[in-house]
Amino acid sequence: MSTRLSSQEDYEKLLDSYDTWLFDCDGVLWRGDHLIDGVPEVLDILRRRNKKVVFVTNNATKSRKKYKAKFDQLGVVAHVDEIYGSAYAAAVYLSTIIKIPKNKKVYVIGQNGLEEELRDEGIQYIGGTDPEDNTLEPFDLSNFTIDPDVAAVVCGLDTQINYTKLSKAFQYLTRNPGCHFIATNEDSTYPSSAGLLPGAGAISAPLRYALGKDPVCTGKPASTMLDCVKAKVHFDPERTIMVGDRLNTDILFGKNGGLTTLLVFTGITSEDEITGPNPSPIVPDFVTQALGDFRIVERSS
Ligand SMILES: O=C(O)[C@H](O)[C@H](O)COP(=O)(O)O
Ligand SMILES: [Mg+2]
């Protein structure tokens, strides 16, 4: 059963109990480019109380550096080494777990954030934002020359998705022996500032259906992202809390990692998924309407 935060004492107690605060981004800090009310103030409260703050987003459209620019643009204090995205996690997975050889390549379905993280990890890639792949022309398989050096297909949120990209990815995954199928994340929807849109999971879905197999997912709830955080940030899981808006990514990620979890209702999940007649089997430790609710601790009682 989740505990609903309500009194000033509830929020104070949570702040006292955890030294490291992991935040999901889309639906917790912002929706698209619209900052959610109270976020800068609450992050400031945490920093003034010497809490470690880490951002863990499944959104693979931006690299960590581009996310730092977004934080700056929105007036939210963040350091690039506090930011972990699913594009970074996928690049690290390819280099350190799969150990993709330097002479091999990745076929990308995704945007420049994913390309940038692959480049920074020294991984060659094709596809992605290449104009040749970003076309609405019919795909002509008889004119396609397969690249035998493609050893993995990585699929992330791609707002320019098309049949050519799906067809090329399908060729690599069915014709290049041992070609890895990797999804940066499998979120079904994306909480934009104007409402829900298809998420990265909806971009890889056609390939899963055509191939009859699932990709390896390196974003939340998989542990890859937490392993990336652990490699750079020392934290005690007992005194670490994960704040998210989606049950089957953020909250499951926190539970899988042995962290305490706090769900907010400013993104994907609605309260009836927790308190309604058919509650989710994924149960957060705590719930509150919005991150901004923590401002109560600075109101004079
Ligand atoms: O479709 C997606 O990629 C996701 O909905 C989105 O980007 C998730 O981002 P997060 O909530 O993990 O910051
Ligand atoms: Mg989210």
Side-chain angles (χ1 to χ4, degrees), residues 6 17 32 54-56 105 112 124 135 145 155 177 208 217 245:
S6 57
S17 303
V54 179
F55 303 102
V56 281
K105 299 170 191 167
N112 49 33
Q124 294 184 76
T135 173
T145 306
C155 189
R208 314 157 78 105
C217 172
D245 70 300

Side-chain angles (χ1 to χ4, degrees), residues 221-233:
S223 62
T224 314
M225 193 104 81
L226 198 58
D227 294 342
C228 291
V229 176
K230 283 176 181 172
K232 298 197 172 175
V233 179

Side-chain angles (χ1 to χ4, degrees), residues 24 26 245 250:
D24 170 54
D26 290 338
D245 70 300
D250 306 321

Side-chain angles (χ1 to χ4, degrees), residues 93-246:
Y93 179 79
L94 281 158
S95 62
T96 60
I97 307 298
I98 290 181
K99 295 186 172 52
I100 189 167
K102 289 297 178 196
N103 64 336
K104 294 295 183 184
K105 299 170 191 167
V106 168
Y107 183 75
V108 171
I109 293 182
Q111 302 178 205
N112 49 33
L114 182 47
E115 292 176 325
E116 188 175 336
E117 293 291 7
L118 290 170
R119 271 199 306 275
D120 287 356
E121 203 64 28
I123 297 169
Q124 294 184 76
Y125 62 86
I126 56 174
T129 58
D130 183 334
E132 186 187 299
D133 292 61
N134 287 273
T135 173
L136 292 178
E137 290 302 311
F139 178 69
D140 179 0
L141 184 52
S142 60
N143 259 343
F144 173 66
T145 306
I146 200 161
D147 184 333
D149 290 331
V150 169
V153 168
V154 179
C155 189
L157 184 57
D158 186 341
T159 56
Q160 306 288 328
I161 188 65
N162 61 40
Y163 193 69
T164 289
K165 293 178 180 180
L166 293 171
S167 300
K168 287 189 177 182
F170 182 80
Q171 301 309 312
Y172 289 121
L173 288 165
T174 52
R175 294 164 57 183
N176 280 15
C179 189
H180 297 273
F181 182 21
I182 296 164
T184 59
N185 60 301
E186 297 178 302
D187 298 61
S188 53
T189 54
Y190 165 63
S192 81
S193 54
L196 285 186
L197 290 169
I203 301 299
S204 58
L207 283 174
R208 314 157 78 105
Y209 188 73
L211 294 163
K213 75 174 189 177
D214 291 339
V216 169
C217 172
T218 55
K220 298 169 287 183
S223 62
T224 314
M225 193 104 81
L226 198 58
D227 294 342
C228 291
V229 176
K230 283 176 181 172
K232 298 197 172 175
V233 179
H234 174 72
F235 63 86
D236 173 0
E238 295 286 314
R239 290 188 60 82
T240 300
I241 187 166
M242 171 71 200
V243 184
D245 70 300
R246 185 185 282 271

Side-chain angles (χ1 to χ4, degrees), residues 14-27:
L14 225 63
L15 289 173
D16 290 344
S17 303
Y18 301 101
D19 307 323
T20 304
W21 290 65
L22 272 58
F23 291 100
D24 170 54
C25 298
D26 290 338

